[in-house]
Amino acid sequence: MENREVGENSAEFNFAEGEMLLIDKPLTWTSFDVVGKVRNSLKPLKLKVGHAGTLDPLATGLLIVCTGKLTKKIDSYQAEDKEYTGTITLGGTTPSYDLETEIDETFPITHINEQMILDAAKSFVGDIQQFPPAHSAIKINGERVYEKARRGEDVEIKSRQVRINSFEIEKIELPNVYFRISCSKGTYIRSLAYDFGKVLQSGSHLSSLRRTKSGDYRVENAWNLEQLIAEIKRHKEIIK
């Protein structure tokens, strides 16, 4: 059964044939943590479990997790456009482009006004080139680049083309800028936040992020992780 949303009857779960689970990823959890939690809850069944699109530990929101035969469709789910809301904080940069690392450089923001912020957001709409953060999960020579970055090694990352469908500024309370973005797969919102500061002749970092949509699937229909695990356990009791 596809698109297993919150509130559906757990007695209908068929994890071996394949379930697509919408999960609201908790703050500080990695996407792999969530997959591991679901996989462990399904023991002793030995099933494939995977996710369709990584969310950083400091991001929350919609994570699509597939089980069983439905893991074959992960690539198609991952290819869908995404929507995010979040906060860019102006006036300081961090090595990770978010709050995983501490501010390493500060910049003035007194010259920045509302129109400059709105114009900056518009300048990103369309096909753009961006550099993924050094603290990211992409691999170089088989190793995650964040592992190299945490060891203090220099990391050379190539730029990639991504598409920003829309970049809306929802509220401005300097130094914080609240946004909603629709974008293609592979877009690093942390990199966008970093580049946003440069366009404003300042510095900035991503201070909060929430994935609200992936394709046609919305976080409003997602499971709380602990509630989902409880439902899986209840399902296992029902079918014994």
Side-chain angles (χ1 to χ4, degrees):
M1 178 178 177
E2 294 189 24
N3 189 17
R4 178 66 68 173
E5 296 181 359
V6 65
E8 295 187 30
N9 189 348
S10 65
E12 298 175 2
F13 279 135
N14 190 331
F15 294 105
E17 281 303 309
E19 291 287 350
M20 193 267 275
L21 304 165
L22 306 183
I23 298 174
D24 189 347
K25 188 191 81 65
L27 185 68
T28 74
W29 283 59
T30 69
S31 301
F32 298 107
D33 289 338
V34 174
V35 168
K37 184 82 170 178
V38 172
R39 184 186 292 115
N40 287 338
S41 73
L42 292 171
K43 288 180 178 179
L45 296 175
K46 295 181 179 179
L47 294 178
K48 288 184 177 181
V49 182
H51 68 78
T54 302
L55 269 177
D56 291 330
L58 295 183
T60 64
L62 183 59
L63 185 70
I64 295 176
V65 173
C66 297
T67 74
K69 296 177 182 178
L70 209 56
T71 54
K72 294 177 181 178
K73 296 189 69 174
I74 280 178
D75 287 347
S76 64
Y77 293 136
Q78 194 163 345
E80 300 283 357
D81 286 354
K82 312 292 190 295
E83 182 187 84
Y84 299 90
T85 61
T87 313
I88 296 171
T89 299
L90 302 174
T93 56
T94 73
S96 60
Y97 300 172
D98 66 1
L99 292 176
E100 182 184 338
T101 54
E102 295 183 356
I103 290 175
D104 60 352
E105 194 171 358
T106 58
F107 300 83
I109 63 170
T110 52
H111 65 286
I112 298 173
N113 59 42
E114 179 178 339
Q115 191 58 52
M116 290 172 64
I117 290 170
L118 296 175
D119 290 343
K122 273 185 198 175
S123 72
F124 287 98
V125 175
D127 293 330
I128 64 169
Q129 292 287 325
Q130 70 169 200
F131 288 92
H135 290 252
S136 63
I138 63 173
K139 289 184 177 181
I140 295 179
N141 298 325
E143 186 177 22
R144 306 271 181 199
V145 295
Y146 65 74
E147 293 171 346
K148 295 176 178 287
R150 287 170 181 169
R151 292 197 300 265
E153 298 177 17
D154 290 333
V155 180
E156 185 176 347
I157 303 176
K158 295 180 180 179
S159 68
R160 58 172 66 181
Q161 181 172 296
V162 297
R163 185 183 66 257
I164 307 301
N165 301 317
S166 63
F167 189 164
E168 302 171 20
I169 303 300
E170 298 198 314
K171 185 168 62 172
I172 299 170
E173 293 178 343
L174 292 178
N176 295 322
V177 177
Y178 302 87
F179 64 84
R180 181 179 299 272
I181 286 173
S182 170
C183 58
S184 65
K185 75 163 188 176
T187 302
Y188 278 91
I189 307 300
R190 284 186 285 152
S191 294
L192 201 66
Y194 178 81
D195 292 338
F196 191 77
K198 290 200 294 186
V199 169
L200 292 169
Q201 299 182 325
S202 182
S204 58
H205 60 275
L206 186 67
S207 49
S208 74
L209 186 66
R210 182 166 178 77
R211 184 189 285 160
T212 50
K213 286 181 65 178
S214 181
D216 293 327
Y217 304 111
R218 306 182 68 91
V219 72
E220 290 89 345
N221 299 321
W223 288 90
N224 169 279
L225 180 59
E226 295 305 324
Q227 290 176 345
L228 173 62
I229 299 305
E231 282 295 307
I232 291 173
K233 290 178 179 177
R234 189 168 74 88
H235 165 78
K236 288 163 70 176
E237 291 295 324
I238 290 172
I239 64 174
K240 276 185 179 179

